[in-house]
Amino acid sequence: MGVFVGLISFVERLQEDILWIRTSTHKIVFFSDGPIYAAMVAACDESEAQMRQQLKFIHSQVISILTNTAVKVLENNPRFDLRNLLDGTDKYLNRATDDVDHSYQHLLNSVHPFRLPASLRNSIGSTIKSKSQGDSLFYSLLLARGHLVTLVRPKNHIFYPPDLLLLLNFVNSTGIIRENDATFTPICLPEFNNSGFLHMHSCFISDSVCLLQITPNSEGFEEMARNKNLVTEALEASGTLKRLETLCRMEVEVDSHYFPVQALEIAPLLHFVYRSHSTSQMVSPHPSAPYHTVEEQQRLFRLYERVEARVKLLDPDHHKPHKVYYERSNTEIVVAWVTSGFELYACFESVTTKQTAIKGCNQILKWIKKEESSLFLLNASIW
């Protein structure tokens, strides 16, 4: 820690910003927002831009706990120690640090919705909208196994992916919501407003399904609790909650959220990741052979990470961006295809020809178009 402080102080005396340092074996990348600095040391092929994006999310996690007021406090009193204010939040920061290192949602700044029939998703959204009462409710979200099912929002307020990923991290990194009937927690959503708190009512309404309600009213617990009861009763009465819970229990099956790549029936295809720019949502199959081990899954993630950096010109050692990128190795062929509407990264068997791989990418797009109503949240309800 002392080395980092010394480096930052030295560069500040030169009236410069420290961005990154390269050694023969490691990269050290810095991210700063006013007086708060975050730093990362890596021995892998991540680009500086990708590492800085990860640090930005960690910084956002801190702001979600303290709000931007912490920045102003440090500006007025540089010796102020924030660690006391962050006491007990290690679980959130540790989970966030782990996620940014292997999550495609973070890599592509997108959300991976829970897969279910569009009619069921729309029915859930309509139920939440009709049964939620009170003028102070901003957002209402339903999660299944840690993935977004639907959300209801004000007409003039969109929900930015980084803020949604912060909420997912909160739910997935702590057992307190499961241990208690409900929690009511102050939380800052930096993309929405980094200077103040909203308040989140959180409750698991079944084993795998969690309802989140967000309000600016610090005294809104009772109102949110009534809404939760009304929504839960309506979902149970219609059989919707039981049906959703059944889908949550499905393992790797063709029609489940955790579908295998074989569901696409594209013979040489091993894996893919797709991001829609219009919805900021993504989809990817459940890992299968040869990516069925933790080590192989991490290798695959690093492969996509490196290819994304080259395609988007995030790697300063490569000066020409690509719309279509093709790379062959002894283990697989990877193809990247980036347009104004989507990003597609796909791996094929190493013996696949380039023509067959390109054809396979088109088949992936065709399958996604066919299944998009179940793969993505396309029509969020509005208050």
Side-chain angles (χ1 to χ4, degrees):
M1 184 63 69
V3 174
F4 286 132
V5 173
L7 287 170
I8 292 169
S9 298
F10 174 76
V11 174
E12 283 183 341
R13 284 196 296 270
L14 300 176
Q15 297 183 336
E16 298 286 350
D17 293 324
I18 186 168
L19 299 178
W20 51 270
I21 298 172
R22 281 192 183 187
T23 71
S24 59
T25 57
H26 291 77
K27 294 177 183 177
I28 308 173
V29 174
F30 298 83
F31 174 85
S32 66
D33 185 359
I36 297 180
Y37 280 82
M40 177 185 295
V41 181
C44 55
D45 291 332
E46 293 172 289
S47 71
E48 288 83 6
Q50 289 168 330
M51 293 171 66
R52 195 166 292 110
Q53 178 177 309
Q54 295 173 22
L55 289 172
K56 183 179 180 181
F57 183 76
I58 302 301
H59 175 270
S60 295
Q61 183 69 69
V62 173
I63 297 300
S64 76
I65 299 168
L66 303 177
T67 78
N68 209 45
T69 302
V71 175
K72 297 178 181 178
V73 170
L74 282 177
E75 287 174 343
N76 295 327
N77 182 9
R79 294 184 179 275
F80 184 79
D81 192 342
L82 288 179
R83 285 176 293 183
N84 291 332
L85 298 179
L86 292 170
D87 188 40
T89 64
D90 288 357
K91 55 187 171 232
Y92 305 121
L93 294 171
N94 290 340
R95 177 65 183 249
T97 302
D98 183 55
D99 279 354
V100 297
D101 194 45
H102 71 264
S103 168
Y104 293 114
Q105 293 185 115
H106 288 278
L107 178 64
L108 300 179
N109 189 30
S110 58
V111 176
H112 186 182
F114 190 79
R115 186 186 182 191
L116 74 166
S119 58
L120 181 58
R121 196 189 305 275
N122 293 335
S123 174
I124 294 170
S126 298
T127 299
I128 293 174
K129 180 179 178 180
S130 64
K131 297 300 180 180
S132 299
Q133 303 174 356
D135 297 329
S136 66
L137 181 58
F138 264 20
Y139 301 105
S140 188
L141 304 89
L142 198 74
L143 310 180
R145 293 188 70 167
H147 292 269
L148 179 67
V149 172
T150 192
L151 68 87
V152 186
R153 63 175 178 84
K155 183 177 181 179
N156 297 322
H157 293 286
I158 65 173
F159 215 121
Y160 295 95
D163 284 345
L164 184 51
L165 292 176
L166 287 172
L167 296 185
L168 297 179
N169 183 58
F170 175 84
V171 173
N172 295 330
S173 62
T174 177
I176 190 171
I177 302 176
R178 293 180 181 273
E179 294 167 2
N180 296 279
D181 182 54
T183 63
F184 195 60
T185 310
I187 188 168
C188 174
L189 301 178
E191 297 292 331
F192 176 78
N193 179 7
N194 65 8
S195 62
F197 282 117
L198 297 171
H199 299 269
M200 182 169 67
H201 183 279
S202 316
C203 184
F204 272 85
I205 61 175
S206 71
D207 288 344
S208 306
V209 180
C210 181
L211 178 65
L212 306 179
Q213 299 175 89
I214 300 174
T215 174
N217 182 9
S218 61
E219 304 296 326
F221 177 84
E222 294 298 331
E223 180 183 318
M224 299 302 105
R226 285 193 297 270
N227 287 343
K228 183 269 295 185
N229 290 335
L230 291 171
V231 169
T232 303
E233 290 169 3
L235 292 176
E236 287 177 338
S238 65
T240 302
L241 186 58
K242 182 178 180 180
R243 187 179 174 192
L244 181 56
E245 188 65 42
T246 299
L247 290 173
C248 289
R249 294 195 184 102
M250 292 176 68
E251 297 301 328
V252 183
E253 299 179 28
V254 170
D255 295 324
S256 77
H257 175 75
Y258 303 97
F259 66 91
V261 71
Q262 290 80 9
L264 279 71
E265 299 181 344
I266 303 174
L269 180 64
L270 299 176
H271 192 269
F272 73 90
V273 181
Y274 172 91
R275 182 190 193 272
S276 165
H277 292 329
S278 61
T279 63
S280 295
Q281 296 172 33
M282 60 148 290
V283 63
S284 183
H286 187 76
S288 56
Y291 311 116
H292 54 288
T293 66
V294 173
E295 293 77 14
E296 280 298 305
Q297 289 169 24
Q298 188 67 8
R299 184 184 69 81
L300 177 65
F301 182 82
R302 293 289 178 232
L303 173 62
Y304 284 144
E305 197 174 49
R306 177 173 57 80
V307 170
E308 191 226 13
R310 293 190 177 185
V311 169
K312 296 182 180 178
L313 204 60
L314 300 178
D315 188 342
D317 292 334
H318 296 82
H319 306 292
K320 185 178 180 180
H322 304 268
K323 290 185 178 179
V324 179
Y325 178 89
Y326 175 90
E327 179 180 303
R328 181 189 295 272
S329 71
N330 293 330
T331 51
E332 66 264 305
I333 288 171
V334 60
V335 178
W337 189 359
V338 177
T339 73
S340 59
F342 66 84
E343 296 173 42
L344 175 63
Y345 305 87
C347 285
F348 297 87
E349 295 173 358
S350 59
V351 295
T352 307
T353 65
K354 185 175 182 179
Q355 183 179 7
T356 301
I358 296 298
K359 180 181 178 181
C361 288
N362 281 293
Q363 290 175 304
I364 294 171
L365 296 178
K366 184 177 180 180
W367 181 86
I368 290 173
K369 183 63 177 177
K370 176 186 174 184
E371 301 291 334
E372 65 177 353
S373 63
S374 68
L375 297 173
F376 305 125
L377 171 57
L378 299 178
N379 299 298
S381 297
I382 296 175
W383 301 119

